[in-house]
Amino acid sequence: MPTLTILVGTMYGGALDVAEQVKPLFEQAGYKVNISEQPTIEDLTNNQDLTLFCVSTTGSGDYPGNFVSFVRGVQEKNPSLTSLRYGLIALGDSSYGDTFCGAGRALDALLEDHGATRLGDRLEVDAMETFMADDAAIPWAEEWIESQQLKVA
């Protein structure tokens, strides 16, 4: 059974809620799903089949506190992530202007710089338009599973 690891960056629990809401969709598609609320660089370098990031933005485009050491680890250890296949759900608030979904966008660029491959489009959930982030994340995850042919036979 293939494994999906969901790495969560959250300040107030919104991104964790999204992770918990999409988890059953991947389980139904045949994946064993692990959610990590305190991600480490080892979560990327262990041989998982697929990774999904659920990351909220805090402050002026910053990473949530629980995600900072993870990002620093990637920046400092500079691992090759050429085997990493991932999806990304970024949460933000468009009233912050240019820093909207800043953490998710910065993470996407960081992973790309290290050779990772994003599967499909990044989902950006705007708190100004979507009260419950999972209202946007669930249909996105369903489409992502289908479009990437992630269902396990």
Side-chain angles (χ1 to χ4, degrees):
M1 176 180 286
T3 300
L4 169 72
T5 302
I6 304 177
L7 304 182
V8 177
T10 192
M11 183 67 85
Y12 301 110
L16 177 59
D17 182 57
V18 167
E20 290 171 345
Q21 295 298 317
V22 301
K23 178 181 178 183
L25 301 174
F26 289 94
E27 290 172 335
Q28 291 166 10
Y31 281 79
K32 176 180 183 259
V33 181
N34 300 315
I35 296 176
S36 177
E37 297 176 56
Q38 293 294 323
T40 66
I41 194 167
E42 288 74 28
D43 291 320
L44 294 182
T45 55
N46 292 342
N47 290 326
Q48 73 276 354
D49 298 290
L50 193 61
T51 302
L52 177 64
F53 293 91
C54 294
V55 181
S56 62
T57 299
T58 187
S60 297
D62 302 319
Y63 293 108
N66 76 309
F67 211 71
V68 171
S69 64
F70 167 78
V71 170
R72 281 193 188 130
V74 173
Q75 292 168 333
E76 291 170 2
K77 294 182 180 172
N78 203 26
S80 171
L81 300 176
T82 55
S83 64
L84 179 67
R85 299 178 326 131
Y86 72 96
L88 178 57
I89 299 174
L91 285 68
D93 183 329
S94 63
S95 70
Y96 284 83
D98 292 344
T99 62
F100 170 63
C101 287
R105 292 175 180 178
L107 175 63
D108 211 6
L110 178 67
L111 295 172
E112 182 182 329
D113 287 348
H114 285 80
T117 302
R118 187 183 71 227
L119 303 176
D121 294 329
R122 174 181 62 234
L123 173 64
E124 294 185 349
V125 181
D126 184 358
M128 293 294 290
E129 295 178 5
T130 308
F131 179 68
M132 298 295 293
D134 52 319
D135 288 344
I138 289 172
W140 176 89
E142 290 171 337
E143 164 130 354
W144 194 62
I145 290 166
E146 191 64 39
S147 68
Q148 302 303 320
Q149 300 175 351
L150 299 177
K151 290 186 178 178
V152 178

mmCIF file of all heavy atoms in Angstrom, residues 57-62 91-105:
data_model
loop_
_atom_site.group_PDB
_atom_site.id
_atom_site.type_symbol
_atom_site.label_atom_id
_atom_site.label_comp_id
_atom_site.label_asym_id
_atom_site.label_seq_id
_atom_site.Cartn_x
_atom_site.Cartn_y
_atom_site.Cartn_z
ATOM 1 N N THR A 57 -0.539 30.759 6.244
ATOM 2 C CA THR A 57 0.369 31.900 6.285
ATOM 3 C C THR A 57 0.026 32.731 7.509
ATOM 4 O O THR A 57 -1.139 32.914 7.834
ATOM 5 C CB THR A 57 0.213 32.741 5.002
ATOM 6 O OG1 THR A 57 0.551 31.928 3.876
ATOM 7 C CG2 THR A 57 1.117 33.964 5.025
ATOM 8 N N THR A 58 1.047 33.225 8.163
ATOM 9 C CA THR A 58 0.834 34.057 9.346
ATOM 10 C C THR A 58 1.609 35.359 9.174
ATOM 11 O O THR A 58 2.509 35.446 8.331
ATOM 12 C CB THR A 58 1.263 33.298 10.626
ATOM 13 O OG1 THR A 58 0.900 34.064 11.761
ATOM 14 C CG2 THR A 58 2.735 32.996 10.638
ATOM 15 N N GLY A 59 1.259 36.348 9.947
ATOM 16 C CA GLY A 59 1.981 37.619 9.892
ATOM 17 C C GLY A 59 1.969 38.206 8.498
ATOM 18 O O GLY A 59 0.941 38.244 7.835
ATOM 19 N N SER A 60 3.118 38.624 8.048
ATOM 20 C CA SER A 60 3.257 39.228 6.716
ATOM 21 C C SER A 60 3.861 38.235 5.748
ATOM 22 O O SER A 60 4.960 38.433 5.217
ATOM 23 C CB SER A 60 4.127 40.484 6.807
ATOM 24 O OG SER A 60 3.501 41.436 7.618
ATOM 25 N N GLY A 61 3.145 37.126 5.537
ATOM 26 C CA GLY A 61 3.614 36.111 4.597
ATOM 27 C C GLY A 61 4.547 35.095 5.206
ATOM 28 O O GLY A 61 5.287 34.417 4.494
ATOM 29 N N ASP A 62 4.516 34.959 6.524
ATOM 30 C CA ASP A 62 5.454 34.096 7.235
ATOM 31 C C ASP A 62 4.930 32.674 7.404
ATOM 32 O O ASP A 62 3.730 32.419 7.336
ATOM 33 C CB ASP A 62 5.741 34.675 8.624
ATOM 34 C CG ASP A 62 6.306 36.083 8.540
ATOM 35 O OD1 ASP A 62 7.148 36.342 7.659
ATOM 36 O OD2 ASP A 62 5.896 36.922 9.367
ATOM 37 N N LEU A 91 -3.057 28.239 2.679
ATOM 38 C CA LEU A 91 -4.140 29.015 3.271
ATOM 39 C C LEU A 91 -3.645 30.428 3.545
ATOM 40 O O LEU A 91 -2.510 30.614 4.007
ATOM 41 C CB LEU A 91 -4.606 28.379 4.582
ATOM 42 C CG LEU A 91 -5.462 27.116 4.484
ATOM 43 C CD1 LEU A 91 -4.676 25.936 3.949
ATOM 44 C CD2 LEU A 91 -6.032 26.773 5.840
ATOM 45 N N GLY A 92 -4.492 31.395 3.234
ATOM 46 C CA GLY A 92 -4.109 32.779 3.459
ATOM 47 C C GLY A 92 -5.316 33.694 3.494
ATOM 48 O O GLY A 92 -6.462 33.238 3.472
ATOM 49 N N ASP A 93 -5.039 34.975 3.516
ATOM 50 C CA ASP A 93 -6.072 36.006 3.607
ATOM 51 C C ASP A 93 -5.696 37.105 2.619
ATOM 52 O O ASP A 93 -4.680 37.781 2.798
ATOM 53 C CB ASP A 93 -6.110 36.534 5.045
ATOM 54 C CG ASP A 93 -7.199 37.552 5.280
ATOM 55 O OD1 ASP A 93 -7.551 38.293 4.338
ATOM 56 O OD2 ASP A 93 -7.687 37.620 6.416
ATOM 57 N N SER A 94 -6.510 37.280 1.577
ATOM 58 C CA SER A 94 -6.169 38.225 0.514
ATOM 59 C C SER A 94 -6.160 39.678 0.977
ATOM 60 O O SER A 94 -5.620 40.535 0.283
ATOM 61 C CB SER A 94 -7.114 38.051 -0.678
ATOM 62 O OG SER A 94 -8.454 38.342 -0.297
ATOM 63 N N SER A 95 -6.720 39.961 2.156
ATOM 64 C CA SER A 95 -6.668 41.334 2.659
ATOM 65 C C SER A 95 -5.234 41.742 3.008
ATOM 66 O O SER A 95 -4.954 42.926 3.203
ATOM 67 C CB SER A 95 -7.590 41.507 3.868
ATOM 68 O OG SER A 95 -7.096 40.819 4.993
ATOM 69 N N TYR A 96 -4.310 40.776 3.052
ATOM 70 C CA TYR A 96 -2.906 41.074 3.308
ATOM 71 C C TYR A 96 -2.135 41.418 2.033
ATOM 72 O O TYR A 96 -0.925 41.576 2.052
ATOM 73 C CB TYR A 96 -2.224 39.902 4.034
ATOM 74 C CG TYR A 96 -2.588 39.842 5.497
ATOM 75 C CD1 TYR A 96 -3.759 39.235 5.919
ATOM 76 C CD2 TYR A 96 -1.766 40.406 6.460
ATOM 77 C CE1 TYR A 96 -4.110 39.188 7.254
ATOM 78 C CE2 TYR A 96 -2.096 40.366 7.801
ATOM 79 C CZ TYR A 96 -3.279 39.752 8.199
ATOM 80 O OH TYR A 96 -3.615 39.717 9.529
ATOM 81 N N GLY A 97 -2.850 41.493 0.910
ATOM 82 C CA GLY A 97 -2.239 41.944 -0.345
ATOM 83 C C GLY A 97 -1.166 41.017 -0.872
ATOM 84 O O GLY A 97 -1.403 39.829 -1.078
ATOM 85 N N ASP A 98 0.029 41.577 -1.064
ATOM 86 C CA ASP A 98 1.128 40.838 -1.699
ATOM 87 C C ASP A 98 1.601 39.630 -0.917
ATOM 88 O O ASP A 98 2.258 38.761 -1.471
ATOM 89 C CB ASP A 98 2.327 41.761 -1.942
ATOM 90 C CG ASP A 98 2.042 42.813 -3.004
ATOM 91 O OD1 ASP A 98 1.064 42.653 -3.757
ATOM 92 O OD2 ASP A 98 2.805 43.798 -3.058
ATOM 93 N N THR A 99 1.304 39.568 0.365
ATOM 94 C CA THR A 99 1.769 38.440 1.171
ATOM 95 C C THR A 99 0.722 37.329 1.259
ATOM 96 O O THR A 99 0.922 36.356 1.991
ATOM 97 C CB THR A 99 2.173 38.894 2.590
ATOM 98 O OG1 THR A 99 1.032 39.438 3.264
ATOM 99 C CG2 THR A 99 3.299 39.920 2.532
ATOM 100 N N PHE A 100 -0.380 37.459 0.507
ATOM 101 C CA PHE A 100 -1.422 36.425 0.478
ATOM 102 C C PHE A 100 -0.806 35.069 0.144
ATOM 103 O O PHE A 100 -0.081 34.936 -0.832
ATOM 104 C CB PHE A 100 -2.489 36.800 -0.555
ATOM 105 C CG PHE A 100 -3.478 35.714 -0.837
ATOM 106 C CD1 PHE A 100 -4.323 35.236 0.154
ATOM 107 C CD2 PHE A 100 -3.566 35.151 -2.097
ATOM 108 C CE1 PHE A 100 -5.247 34.241 -0.100
ATOM 109 C CE2 PHE A 100 -4.489 34.150 -2.369
ATOM 110 C CZ PHE A 100 -5.325 33.694 -1.372
ATOM 111 N N CYS A 101 -1.068 34.091 0.975
ATOM 112 C CA CYS A 101 -0.528 32.729 0.810
ATOM 113 C C CYS A 101 0.987 32.734 0.679
ATOM 114 O O CYS A 101 1.576 31.869 0.022
ATOM 115 C CB CYS A 101 -1.183 32.010 -0.369
ATOM 116 S SG CYS A 101 -2.884 31.496 -0.034
ATOM 117 N N GLY A 102 1.626 33.682 1.326
ATOM 118 C CA GLY A 102 3.079 33.831 1.212
ATOM 119 C C GLY A 102 3.857 32.609 1.651
ATOM 120 O O GLY A 102 4.854 32.247 1.024
ATOM 121 N N ALA A 103 3.424 31.953 2.723
ATOM 122 C CA ALA A 103 4.141 30.769 3.195
ATOM 123 C C ALA A 103 4.038 29.639 2.170
ATOM 124 O O ALA A 103 5.035 28.980 1.860
ATOM 125 C CB ALA A 103 3.599 30.318 4.547
ATOM 126 N N GLY A 104 2.860 29.424 1.636
ATOM 127 C CA GLY A 104 2.677 28.370 0.635
ATOM 128 C C GLY A 104 3.459 28.648 -0.634
ATOM 129 O O GLY A 104 4.095 27.750 -1.201
ATOM 130 N N ARG A 105 3.446 29.887 -1.076
ATOM 131 C CA ARG A 105 4.198 30.254 -2.291
ATOM 132 C C ARG A 105 5.697 30.120 -2.071
ATOM 133 O O ARG A 105 6.420 29.619 -2.938
ATOM 134 C CB ARG A 105 3.838 31.677 -2.709
ATOM 135 C CG ARG A 105 2.401 31.807 -3.191
ATOM 136 C CD ARG A 105 2.026 33.239 -3.477
ATOM 137 N NE ARG A 105 0.635 33.321 -3.934
ATOM 138 C CZ ARG A 105 0.032 34.459 -4.229
ATOM 139 N NH1 ARG A 105 0.680 35.605 -4.137
ATOM 140 N NH2 ARG A 105 -1.233 34.444 -4.625
#
